[in-house]
Amino acid sequence: MDSQELLRLMIEKDKDMTRIVDFENFRSAPKIDAQAQSALLRPNPRLDATLANSAAKGLPPISVLPLAGQYLSILTRVMGAKNVLEVGTLGGYSSICFAQAGAKVTSVEIDANHRDVALQNVEGLDVEVILGSSTDVLPKLVKEGRKFDIVFVDADMVGLGEEFDWAVKLTRPNGLIFLDDVVASMFKDGQVGGENEDNILTKVGKDDRVQATLVPVVTCHPKLPTPVFNGFIFATVKPN
C-alpha cells in the first residue's frame, strides 16, 4: 500500500482529518497570524519606533514582519550567535532583532537614504551599516578574513546565487546561511511551473559546501489582500 492510499484510508476512518487537509485552511492564515502576534509578541518600543520612523522617512513597508523578527531573535539566542552579517538593511528592523538578542551586526545596504534612516533607528546598538552593493562589499569582507555565525540575506533576489556563494565564504563552519523570501522570488521571476528548472534551489542543492533545506511558510502581510505562499532556505556550512 503506497502512502497516498494509506492517507486516503486514514481520512476515511477519521473524518476530522479532513479539517487538516482542507485547502480552505489557507484562508484562515490571517486570523491565526493575528492571534499569534497577540499571544506571543511582547511590547518592543524600539521596533515600534523603527517602523514609525521608517514610514515617516518614506521607506517601503517591506521590513521583516514581527513574528519573523522574533524568530530571528530566538534563532540568534539558540545558536549563541555573536556575529551576524545582514545583506539588505532597509530601516534596520531585523538588525535590531539580531542586536537585541546579543549579536554584533554588520549590515550591507545599497541605498543611501535607507542607510541613513537605519543608522537613526539602530543608534546605541552594536550595529554597523555599510553603504554599498553586496557585489562590492562581500568580496571585501572575504578579503579581510571576516567570518560570521549567521549570514542573513534579505535583499533584492537578483544575483542571489552569487550572494549565496559569498555567504558560504563568510560563514564559519557549522554556521548558518538564511536566504529569505526564496519562494516568493521564484514566483516573481517565473521560475515555478516553467520548463527552466535552474533556480536558487538547484544551485544550493549542487553546492557540496553546505547542507540545506527549504522551509515553506505562509506569510500574512497587512499591506497585501491575501496570504502569500513563501519560504526560506536554511543552509549550514560543513566543516572542512
Side-chain angles (χ1 to χ4, degrees):
M1 183 182 299
D2 62 25
S3 59
Q4 186 173 2
E5 178 65 14
L6 180 61
L7 179 60
R8 185 185 67 79
L9 292 175
M10 288 174 60
I11 293 174
E12 287 182 355
K13 185 177 180 180
D14 183 359
K15 296 301 183 181
D16 289 341
M17 284 284 293
T18 59
R19 299 175 187 170
I20 299 175
V21 298
D22 189 346
F23 188 76
E24 289 298 308
N25 290 347
F26 191 74
R27 302 182 187 277
S28 298
K31 181 178 180 180
I32 296 172
D33 184 81
Q35 185 178 34
Q37 290 193 50
S38 176
L40 302 177
L41 297 178
R42 301 292 182 265
N44 191 319
R46 185 68 177 254
L47 292 177
D48 292 342
T50 292
L51 292 178
N53 187 47
S54 298
K57 298 298 172 56
L59 269 61
I62 54 174
S63 294
V64 166
L65 294 172
L67 286 171
Q70 182 144 299
Y71 178 85
L72 296 177
S73 294
I74 294 170
L75 180 66
T76 303
R77 291 191 174 95
V78 168
M79 288 186 61
K82 299 303 180 185
N83 292 284
V84 173
L85 173 63
E86 176 183 51
V87 181
T89 316
L90 194 61
Y93 188 98
S94 49
S95 299
I96 294 170
C97 293
F98 287 121
Q100 288 185 334
K104 173 180 173 58
V105 182
T106 300
S107 191
V108 181
E109 175 54 53
I110 194 172
D111 187 289
N113 181 51
H114 294 178
R115 186 276 313 266
D116 292 344
V117 175
L119 287 174
Q120 296 171 10
N121 293 334
V122 303
E123 185 177 0
L125 296 174
D126 198 359
V127 177
E128 171 192 20
V129 183
I130 301 174
L131 180 63
S133 69
S134 60
T135 53
D136 290 334
V137 175
L138 299 187
K140 293 178 182 177
L141 295 178
V142 170
K143 189 175 181 179
E144 293 172 6
R146 302 280 293 275
K147 290 288 184 180
F148 299 88
D149 300 310
I150 298 174
V151 176
F152 177 58
V153 181
D154 186 28
D156 191 336
M157 290 301 169
V158 176
L160 185 58
E162 184 178 355
E163 289 177 343
F164 179 78
D165 182 60
W166 289 114
V168 174
K169 296 174 182 176
L170 286 162
T171 305
R172 65 162 172 82
N174 293 320
L176 177 71
I177 300 170
F178 188 129
L179 304 184
D180 203 15
D181 295 331
V182 167
V183 173
S185 74
M186 291 173 62
F187 280 117
K188 179 182 176 183
D189 296 338
Q191 295 179 345
V192 178
E195 295 182 0
N196 184 8
E197 295 185 358
D198 188 20
N199 53 47
I200 187 60
L201 294 178
T202 58
K203 178 177 177 59
V204 173
K206 295 174 183 176
D207 196 321
D208 291 333
R209 297 172 297 173
V210 302
Q211 182 180 25
T213 190
L214 175 73
V215 182
V217 297
V218 175
T219 302
C220 300
H221 196 289
K223 302 294 184 181
L224 297 177
T226 63
V228 174
F229 174 41
N230 202 351
F232 55 87
I233 287 178
F234 253 5
T236 186
V237 176
K238 299 176 182 177
N240 294 328

